[in-house]
Amino acid sequence: MKVMDDSAHQTSAAHKQATHEGHHAHGDHEVVHRGRGGVSWAMAAKATLHCLTGCAIGEILGMVIGTALGWGNVPTMVLAITLAFLFGYSFTLFAVRRAGLDFKTAIKVALAADTVSIAVMELVDNAIIALTPGAMDAHLSDGLFWSALLGGFGIAFLITTPVNKWMIGRGKGHAVVHAYH
């Protein structure tokens, strides 16, 4: 019969306590991990801002490329939306790859974490641009173009944040990423 050294047990218990306390340093993450579903607005806003950053980079780049190539509104918008999804996913993909996930798993996590958020954001943002009189025909040097685009991003942020809050509270969306922090 093997007798367990009491110091090993104390070390293990200390490690578990330190790990548990360190986990609390993640602030709002702990609520999602415990499965209570309570998510702060700050956490939802942070997830939305993360998504918005990637979307904005992709969308602006798409608009610049489409305009520089002399494309019409529809192909430029398709490029901008495609790049918004690409950059939005990329931000999460790089973060979870840094956390040690293999590429295939990282892609699955990025798709699960960001698809709804990016889709809502792009739908709202592009609807604002399309519904703003003259914005679709404005050039990159026009204030109307930038005010419609930035205003669209602002409204998209306000609409997408509650969506992300709801999804994270149910273990979906950006909650999927939290397992890899």
Side-chain angles (χ1 to χ4, degrees), residues 27 50 91 129 178:
H50 174 268
F91 276 35
I129 293 169
H178 295 285

Side-chain angles (χ1 to χ4, degrees), residues 48-64 80-81 83-88 91 118 121-122 125 145-146 149-150 152-154 156:
T48 306
L49 186 59
H50 174 268
C51 202
L52 178 64
T53 303
C55 288
I57 291 169
E59 193 161 329
I60 291 169
L61 184 60
M63 298 283 190
V64 169
I81 292 168
L83 290 177
F85 272 91
L86 181 69
F87 277 86
F91 276 35
I118 295 171
M121 201 164 296
E122 285 303 300
D125 178 51
F145 169 80
W146 291 103
L149 183 65
L150 297 176
F153 287 149

Side-chain angles (χ1 to χ4, degrees), residues 126-141:
N126 285 285
I128 298 296
I129 293 169
L131 295 173
T132 301
M136 291 295 289
D137 297 319
H139 296 278
L140 294 175
S141 59

